[in-house]
Amino acid sequence: MSNPNLRLAICVFGCISVPKYAIQMMKIQNTWGKRAEEKWGVPVYYFLGEEDVPGITNNPDGLIHGTTRFVYLPGVKNDYQSASYKQNLGIKYIMDHHPEIEYIYVCGTDTYVNIDRML
């Protein structure tokens, strides 16, 4: 049911180094994020601070897996105070790498999207 004419990307801003937020990202990827990508072809990006947390993003057990797109932003910390930097740089990343995207939905890891209803 993917729609090739759909020009939407979803940007989730998070902090992978805090277990609570890593779990929230996992829940997104296993529910509405997975549906957005598999049913509708809408890419879901996770914009994170530059600090990678081994064993979470590349976990062989699939804690966060599939077509997940993690973007580590250089010079940005994994903390609450860096949220505005993640938002600005995340939107810039989408615009620079995907000029065909016309709409960007921005949310945090504590958001639940009814993707079918949204689209």
Side-chain angles (χ1 to χ4, degrees):
M1 277 194 147
S2 146
N3 183 349
N5 298 318
L6 193 60
R7 301 190 191 302
L8 169 70
I10 297 175
C11 300
V12 180
F13 301 99
C15 179
I16 198 85
S17 60
V18 176
K20 171 185 171 181
Y21 303 125
I23 290 169
Q24 289 175 346
M25 284 185 252
M26 175 195 68
K27 289 180 180 179
I28 290 171
Q29 190 55 30
N30 289 328
T31 58
W32 66 264
K34 180 178 181 179
R35 187 164 180 83
E37 296 214 3
E38 291 180 0
K39 180 177 180 180
W40 298 103
V42 173
V44 179
Y45 287 90
Y46 296 84
F47 291 97
L48 309 165
E50 68 181 350
E51 174 192 6
D52 186 5
V53 177
I56 293 182
T57 57
N58 297 313
N59 185 341
D61 297 327
L63 176 62
I64 301 176
H65 58 83
T67 55
T68 304
R69 296 166 173 89
F70 288 94
V71 180
Y72 292 92
L73 302 167
V76 177
K77 294 182 180 182
N78 271 320
D79 59 16
Y80 182 77
Q81 291 77 18
S82 299
S84 62
Y85 297 111
K86 290 176 189 173
Q87 292 168 6
N88 183 34
L89 293 171
I91 291 169
K92 182 179 181 341
Y93 178 94
I94 292 294
M95 293 174 69
D96 289 347
H97 290 86
H98 300 284
E100 74 281 4
I101 296 293
E102 294 180 9
Y103 303 99
I104 300 173
Y105 180 78
V106 177
C107 64
T109 57
D110 61 350
T111 303
Y112 181 85
V113 175
N114 182 337
I115 193 69
D116 295 331
R117 185 87 164 146
M118 172 193 260
L119 297 173

